[in-house]
């Protein structure tokens, strides 16, 4: 073997060793599974937040994005270590059932009603209940997620407050996440309730625009919970608690507040308010 061939061989071996070493390091990196909402993922928040958490702790977070109801069921089955969701009533029930020891508030944004620019139902304003009554009475198209998500739960509360026997002939449930629901609404010229974060990151708006915002009842609180290891001993509660501790810490709260699209802040940290 010539000296040149020997050097090439050594370089190849070194490259293989480095690759194997990197693979082993990745395989050994601690990780947790977080069941969360489609709104936190589709808004782009986690792409901003989770790299900061990993840099601070070395822990990878694998996100399972579902509606809040499905995320809570995932926690009940022990298929997630931590939950990041937005239906306070359902979250408190989860704690009362013993599936988590504590729920902590972490951030908020708001819901908005979007619809076609010409607003055929004349729903525009600051009163979500009045807007839904107008949508139903005019038989206008409305796309509901229909997936037991936090957004769907909020929508059902508003419909109940509207005291309607039915939601109108234009009401359709898609059984889908926020992004797909908005795609259907934009392609059919229908109304839809969405969280502001997903809306700001949504690119296929076509003729849709925000028609109702500013109603106090549209407040949208998010909470975080570690799944109780007493229910599921395999849960990585210690690592999950590190995520909770970080996301409510000054560093985690600052990271949430720092996420913006087009200069507009999507979520507002409120763990200590």
């Amino acid at each position: 073997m010539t000296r040149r061939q020997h050097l090439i061989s050594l370089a190849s071996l070194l490259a293989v060793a480095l690759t194997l070493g990197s693979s082993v390091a990745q395989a050994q990196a601690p990780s947790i599974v977080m069941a969360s909402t489609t709104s936190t993922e589709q808004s782009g928040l986690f792409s901003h937040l989770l790299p900061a958490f990993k840099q601070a702790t070395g822990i990878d977070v694998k996100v399972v994005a579902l509606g809040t109801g499905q995320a809570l069921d995932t926690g009940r089955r022990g298929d997630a270590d931590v939950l990041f969701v937005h239906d306070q009533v359902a979250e408190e029930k989860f704690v009362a059932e013993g599936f988590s020891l504590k729920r902590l508030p972490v951030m908020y944004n708001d819901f908005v009603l979007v619809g076609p620019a010409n607003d055929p139902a004349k729903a525009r304003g600051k009163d979500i209940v009045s807007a839904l009554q107008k949508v139903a009475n005019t038989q206008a198209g409305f796309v509901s997620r229909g997936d037991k998500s936090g957004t769907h739960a909020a929508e059902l509360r508003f419909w109940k407050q509207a005291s309607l026997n039915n939601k109108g002939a234009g009401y359709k449930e898609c059984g889908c996440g926020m992004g797909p629901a908005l795609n259907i609404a934009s392609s059919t010229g229908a109304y839809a309730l969405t969280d502001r974060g997903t809306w700001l990151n949504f690119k296929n708006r076509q003729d849709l625009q925000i028609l109702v915002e500013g109603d106090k009842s549209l407040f949208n609180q998010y909470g975080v919970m570690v799944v109780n290891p007493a229910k599921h001993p395999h849960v990585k509660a210690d690592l999950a608690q590190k995520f909770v501790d970080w996301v409510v810490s000054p560093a985690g709260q600052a990271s949430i507040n720092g996420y913006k699209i087009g200069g507009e802040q999507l979520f507002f940290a409120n763990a200590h308010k």
Side-chain angles (χ1 to χ4, degrees):
M1 180 182 291
T2 66
R3 178 178 175 80
R4 174 181 172 81
Q5 290 173 323
H6 182 68
L7 290 173
I8 291 174
S9 179
L10 284 176
S12 298
L13 288 171
L14 179 60
V16 170
L18 288 172
T19 300
L20 289 173
S22 175
S23 298
V24 170
Q26 290 177 2
Q28 293 176 342
S31 66
I32 57 174
V33 174
M34 176 166 65
S36 189
T37 72
T38 59
S39 61
T40 43
E41 182 183 53
Q42 292 173 357
S43 66
L45 175 68
F46 285 153
S47 296
H48 167 83
L49 191 68
L50 298 184
F53 171 66
K54 183 174 182 180
Q55 184 176 12
T57 64
I59 299 172
D60 278 319
V61 180
K62 300 174 182 177
V63 178
V64 180
L66 304 160
T68 286
Q70 293 172 308
L72 291 169
D73 286 342
T74 299
R76 287 187 177 92
R77 295 193 301 269
D79 292 334
D81 305 300
V82 64
L83 306 178
F84 196 133
V85 288
H86 66 137
D87 184 348
Q88 186 167 342
V89 173
E91 293 162 39
E92 290 172 349
K93 182 173 185 288
F94 187 85
V95 173
E97 293 170 342
F99 288 104
S100 179
L101 298 179
K102 190 175 184 180
R103 169 197 175 273
L104 291 174
V106 61
M107 66 184 192
Y108 70 92
N109 66 356
D110 63 341
F111 295 112
V112 295
L113 183 73
V114 299
N118 66 345
D119 189 18
K122 302 295 184 268
R124 190 186 304 273
K126 294 183 178 295
D127 187 331
I128 185 61
V129 169
S130 174
L132 292 181
Q133 289 171 335
K134 292 173 181 177
V135 168
N137 290 337
T138 57
Q139 312 297 319
F142 185 99
V143 179
S144 169
R145 286 179 57 171
D147 63 349
K148 298 183 180 179
S149 62
T151 303
H152 183 220
E155 177 213 314
L156 292 179
R157 287 196 302 272
F158 301 144
W159 282 114
K160 185 176 181 180
Q161 291 167 18
S163 301
L164 295 168
N165 292 326
N166 64 71
K167 303 176 183 70
Y171 182 88
K172 306 293 181 185
E173 291 186 348
C174 67
C176 60
M178 196 69 257
L182 285 172
N183 277 322
I184 295 170
S186 67
S187 65
T188 61
Y191 295 83
L193 185 75
T194 177
D195 67 285
R196 189 182 295 270
T198 303
W199 172 253
L200 288 174
N201 203 36
F202 182 63
K203 302 298 190 293
N204 183 34
R205 297 182 183 182
Q206 297 190 43
D207 192 41
L208 293 187
Q209 59 181 235
I210 292 176
L211 297 176
V212 179
E213 60 183 329
D215 188 326
K216 290 182 179 179
S217 64
L218 292 171
F219 179 81
N220 181 29
Q221 178 69 50
Y222 288 79
V224 64
M225 301 178 288
V226 175
V227 176
N228 188 358
K231 290 280 190 180
H232 300 288
H234 65 275
V235 165
K236 300 175 184 176
D238 291 344
L239 295 180
Q241 189 62 52
K242 288 184 178 180
F243 173 76
V244 170
D245 291 343
W246 180 84
V247 82
V248 301
S249 74
Q253 296 280 279
S255 185
I256 289 170
N257 285 336
Y259 181 52
K260 299 179 181 180
I261 293 180
E264 186 167 351
Q265 186 171 332
L266 274 70
F267 299 95
F268 299 83
N270 68 342
H272 304 291
K273 295 180 182 178

